[in-house]
Amino acid sequence: MTKKFDCYLDTFQIITIILHKSYRKSLMKLFLSDVDLQTELKIQEIYESDDYIKYAAITVDSLALNQDYYLTDDLGTKAYLQIGAVTRNPLFDQLISYNGPLGISYHNQKTDFRLYSPVSKKVEIELLSPEGNFAVYPLKHFFGCYQVTINGNLDKYRYRYRININNQEVLTLDPYAVASDAKRDYNYIIDWQKSYQFKYPRPEFSGKATDMVIYEASIRDLTSKTNLPKEVKGSFKGLLQAPKTTSGQDTALEYISSLGITHLQLLPIFDFNSDGTDYNWGYNPEQYNIPYGFYSSNPNCPYTRINELKQFIDRVHQLGMRVSMDVVFNHVYDLESFSMQKLVPGYSYRYDKTNLRTNSSGCGNDLATERKMIRKLIVDSICFWSEKYAISAFRLDLMGLIDIETLNEIKRAVNKYDCGIMLYGEGWNIESTLPITERSTIENQEKLPGIAHFNDRFRDLITINLANTLKGVKELFLGSPSLFSSPAKSINYVECHDNKTLFDYLSVNNKENIYDFHRLSTQLVLLAQGIPFIHAGQEFYRTKQGSDNSYQESDEINGIDWEEKDKYLEYSQMVKDLITIRKKYPLFRISKFSAIMERISFIDKLSDSNHLVFDLKAKTYQFRLIIKNNYHNYMLKYLQPVYNIFDGKRKVRIKGTNFNLTFPAIYIYQLEV
């Protein structure tokens, strides 16, 4: 059948009509009708192309978004009025946003359901009991939301919503759901009191960012190449079984905790689009508040997913580390299946001036974090993980695509769970429709109190230039004061899950002396002012066989080979030693540049193009620290004996007056005060 005309509500009073010329060449009159009345529309503007004519018509009164309307032309042809760009109109947020609870609220005798969908004409909930009994209940509209209370104990019931929108019936999951089946056909109702109860609280933490030592790892990578049984490799459960190397050395959690790490950062553990067969990092969000099913031993059992994740977190806490969670709020995996898109078409994403969806994330869509209900979803999600799973830090993927107000609201919100919850992320300035002044970028970091950024200048300068020059390293060692307002803003790193590992990079760009410069790079990460960040396996020369983007590679490429650790035990011991030194002496953890200027001096007369010399002074102790990037002898002479406490490879305590520095490394000497 030939299409005649379509019509869309683009503001509360403006309707766009698309007339297909195969139907007729022009419209004479248009009438808007609902159940009770019919009124003639006034056409304001006309745009014509080869195939269609676009009309902009204005209504006398604002239209109710949850009611059905039709347009009829002077020939009697009728078209349903669809929801158009009105959901992106600023008035939409002002008039129809909602600040109450959403999702489900379970009680033994009843469960409350609340769903935000102001443009739906009708909403019903499908309930499926554990025995397979099916029922449908209508929800009542209330100020942009639909809600219902269903009596009875609904624990383990499955549910999903059936909505009528744009004259079509659509099935959707709950964007606030906390449990799901493996295929994402239904969400589950659960009783949180029946889930695993934590035995160990979050380990004590000062809440001072520069006291963090972050270790990034993937759940899958940590055990995929161990000798564990196949069914638990790459899972939460596998990490509770403490796998050993062939020589009996610790791996995974026990080993990581032995380094002195404060925060174990996990690549995404929320529900992402993957069936667990192909390798996936997890940066393709499906359901934000649900643990990823294929890290559990039974993806179809909601309690198994929840309990095994909570048991894993409890073990991390028992070992003295906090958990940092990688979250992805700049895009979603599938823009059409995303539940918020189904519930409020067009609202969730950013659009450009030509009314096309933007793609700043490179994933086909950009979440409009500045809109109130997307912001609420994000803030509520992070609060949920903080409360229910005791997550202590959040790493925000492509943070520069998130607006400043959303991040500041998150920071304020999580304080009620633990004032030591940390936020940090990728503050790259990616072009987007978000105004430059509202982007959460490094350039705007002063507008983001208490939120840190990955220091890509640190990474690039160290990985590219360190073997040739120390130019710029002084600035990095002092916390990058030309880039940040505080060293507590700078996450210092030389490798992460993205791109080549440091070993692979050096193998291509600095084929000689890889091992010495690799160690020196890690030493700078651990001793520079700011927040040190270590990628899993970095401390024993982890390789991904040269892959520059391993998100679609195999476990053979991505999995951590713990047997390699046993070959380089002195390197991992060096990392442990430096973390010990960092934790023991506050001079390596200064949080203000004013204090750095008072306590750290650059000794220009002892420095040259291959050696940087610093004095670090506290009231009761003083250090001389030398950064060296060549193999020429460098003599350090003192009139009075001093103690060498780090000799470039290990923590020592050697007393003397003359020291010969021979290889690239950082050297630390303690002087009498």
Side-chain angles (χ1 to χ4, degrees), residues 9 11-15 30-34 37-44 56-64 69 71 81 91:
L9 185 65
T11 77
F12 285 91
Q13 290 182 296
I14 295 177
I15 295 171
L30 278 171
F31 301 91
L32 175 71
S33 60
D34 60 13
L37 56 89
Q38 184 179 75
T39 57
E40 185 175 350
L41 295 177
K42 180 182 178 181
I43 295 176
Q44 276 197 325
I58 189 167
T59 67
V60 176
D61 300 311
S62 294
L63 303 183
Y69 296 91
L71 261 64
L81 180 59
L91 272 177

Side-chain angles (χ1 to χ4, degrees), residues 635-649:
M635 289 299 299
L636 202 61
K637 297 181 179 181
Y638 294 95
L639 295 176
Q640 301 294 328
V642 299
Y643 286 98
N644 179 203
I645 66 167
F646 186 76
D647 69 358
K649 290 185 177 179

Side-chain angles (χ1 to χ4, degrees), residues 93-370:
D93 253 359
Q94 293 178 32
L95 298 176
I96 316 181
S97 60
Y98 171 78
N99 200 35
L102 289 169
I104 66 169
S105 178
Y106 167 86
H107 307 278
N108 286 334
Q109 292 81 31
K110 66 173 185 175
T111 299
D112 301 318
F113 300 84
R114 299 181 184 90
L115 190 74
Y116 178 75
S117 186
V119 295
S120 290
K121 317 307 179 186
K122 179 182 178 182
V123 176
E124 297 173 315
I125 186 170
E126 296 182 358
L127 274 185
L128 193 60
S129 74
E131 297 77 27
N133 298 319
F134 181 81
V136 178
Y137 297 86
L139 277 72
K140 184 178 179 181
H141 181 262
F142 175 74
F143 196 67
C145 292
Y146 283 84
Q147 55 189 30
V148 67
T149 296
I150 300 176
N151 294 324
N153 189 337
L154 303 185
D155 181 33
K156 295 183 182 177
Y157 275 63
R158 284 178 281 175
Y159 75 100
R160 64 185 177 188
Y161 291 103
R162 184 191 297 173
I163 65 174
N164 189 288
I165 199 162
N166 284 337
N167 210 27
Q168 292 183 336
E169 187 172 274
V170 178
L171 293 173
T172 182
L173 298 174
D174 183 355
Y176 277 75
V178 300
S180 173
D181 59 15
K183 292 183 178 180
R184 305 177 188 89
D185 290 328
Y186 286 91
N187 293 129
Y188 273 92
I189 301 162
I190 61 144
D191 179 359
W192 275 101
Q193 295 303 312
K194 289 184 178 179
S195 71
Y196 177 84
Q197 300 300 302
F198 288 117
K199 298 175 183 176
Y200 301 94
R202 292 182 175 99
E204 289 295 321
F205 178 65
S206 66
K208 181 180 167 187
T210 52
D211 286 345
M212 297 175 76
V213 182
I214 304 169
Y215 192 93
E216 182 196 44
S218 155
I219 292 292
R220 181 164 178 160
D221 293 354
L222 286 171
T223 58
S224 64
K225 294 176 77 170
T226 65
N227 55 7
L228 288 176
K230 182 179 180 180
E231 59 270 17
V232 297
K233 283 186 179 182
S235 70
F236 299 131
K237 197 172 182 180
L239 284 162
L240 299 177
Q241 299 189 19
K244 303 282 187 179
T245 64
T246 53
S247 63
Q249 296 287 324
D250 284 337
T251 70
L253 298 184
E254 285 69 19
Y255 160 73
I256 295 167
S257 68
S258 75
L259 296 175
I261 300 301
T262 65
H263 289 73
L264 175 60
Q265 178 188 304
L266 302 171
L267 269 64
I269 55 173
F270 55 72
D271 186 46
F272 55 86
N273 187 271
S274 174
D275 64 1
T277 54
D278 295 331
Y279 188 85
N280 198 305
W281 279 342
Y283 293 94
N284 40 1
E286 287 275 13
Q287 301 182 93
Y288 279 117
N289 296 343
I290 299 173
Y292 176 55
F294 294 92
Y295 284 157
S296 75
S297 60
N298 186 354
N300 272 309
C301 177
Y303 281 102
T304 300
R305 289 199 200 196
I306 293 165
N307 290 341
E308 289 180 358
L309 173 55
K310 291 179 76 173
Q311 288 166 353
F312 162 74
I313 292 171
D314 211 24
R315 177 59 177 156
V316 176
H317 288 171
Q318 182 186 10
L319 290 169
M321 299 179 289
R322 289 185 158 215
V323 175
S324 176
M325 177 180 176
D326 202 330
V327 289
V328 185
F329 293 121
N330 60 82
H331 74 277
V332 295
Y333 170 69
D334 188 313
L335 58 91
E336 295 299 339
S337 66
F338 180 44
S339 53
M340 281 294 287
Q341 166 66 9
K342 289 183 175 182
L343 294 168
V344 196
Y347 178 78
S348 300
Y349 308 117
R350 291 182 182 140
Y351 289 74
D352 62 20
K353 293 179 180 179
T354 65
N355 215 28
L356 294 175
R357 272 190 301 267
T358 61
N359 187 26
S360 302
S361 67
C363 298
N365 64 90
D366 303 313
L367 277 184
T369 62
E370 66 278 13

Side-chain angles (χ1 to χ4, degrees), residues 155 459 603:
D155 181 33
R459 176 201 61 194
I603 312 303

Side-chain angles (χ1 to χ4, degrees), residues 548-574:
D548 191 49
N549 192 3
S550 66
Y551 80 105
Q552 288 184 322
E553 301 281 4
S554 64
D555 287 317
E556 184 61 31
I557 297 295
N558 285 289
I560 297 175
D561 187 349
W562 295 107
E563 300 298 325
E564 287 295 300
K565 175 183 69 73
D566 285 5
K567 296 179 184 178
Y568 303 108
L569 289 176
E570 65 171 17
Y571 193 171
S572 55
Q573 182 61 46
M574 180 203 82

